[in-house]
Amino acid sequence: MKKFQVDLAHCQSYWEMHERFRQALDWPDFYGQNWSAFWDCLTGFMEVPAFIRITGVDSAGQDVRDSIPMIRKILQRAKTEYGDIDYMIESKAGL
């Protein structure tokens, strides 16, 4: 299983967050930095099986923290529908 870590510590913007995902998950340069593109890359461009660990959420900016429910929703959907992607979002604040 391929293991990935996405560090969102001190990430301040929606765009920076998407760029960190792109780099950490080795998605193509043409990644569209939106939720549809997130789904497409997650389910079409990732080496699987994969485990994605997301860290640094608690020190991220509000835009990033507000995006965590959507990230969780998309990751959970991929896990349920495909079964070869798992994830963990580390947050002491319960995000």
Side-chain angles (χ1 to χ4, degrees), residues 4 6 21 25 27-28 31 34-48 50-52 54 70-79 82 84-87:
F4 298 93
V6 182
F21 272 97
L25 302 178
W27 288 349
Y31 168 59
N34 60 62
W35 297 124
S36 292
F38 189 96
W39 172 259
D40 291 344
C41 285
L42 185 67
T43 59
F45 288 97
M46 289 225 15
E47 180 181 339
V48 292
F51 180 80
I52 303 168
I54 302 170
M70 180 59 81
I71 293 167
R72 179 177 279 111
K73 180 180 177 179
I74 293 169
L75 290 171
Q76 186 60 45
R77 180 179 166 207
K79 179 179 180 177
Y82 292 90
D84 53 6
I85 295 172
D86 201 1
Y87 69 96

Side-chain angles (χ1 to χ4, degrees), residues 3-69:
K3 295 182 180 181
F4 298 93
Q5 180 170 332
V6 182
D7 183 6
L8 298 178
H10 309 291
C11 182
Q12 294 302 310
S13 74
Y14 175 86
W15 306 112
E16 181 184 359
M17 173 195 68
H18 276 284
E19 181 60 19
R20 289 191 189 193
F21 272 97
R22 187 193 69 76
Q23 290 179 4
L25 302 178
D26 198 28
W27 288 349
D29 290 339
F30 59 82
Y31 168 59
Q33 297 188 343
N34 60 62
W35 297 124
S36 292
F38 189 96
W39 172 259
D40 291 344
C41 285
L42 185 67
T43 59
F45 288 97
M46 289 225 15
E47 180 181 339
V48 292
F51 180 80
I52 303 168
R53 181 175 169 227
I54 302 170
T55 61
V57 172
D58 294 329
S59 69
Q62 190 63 48
D63 285 349
V64 176
R65 292 193 312 273
D66 289 347
S67 296
I68 297 303

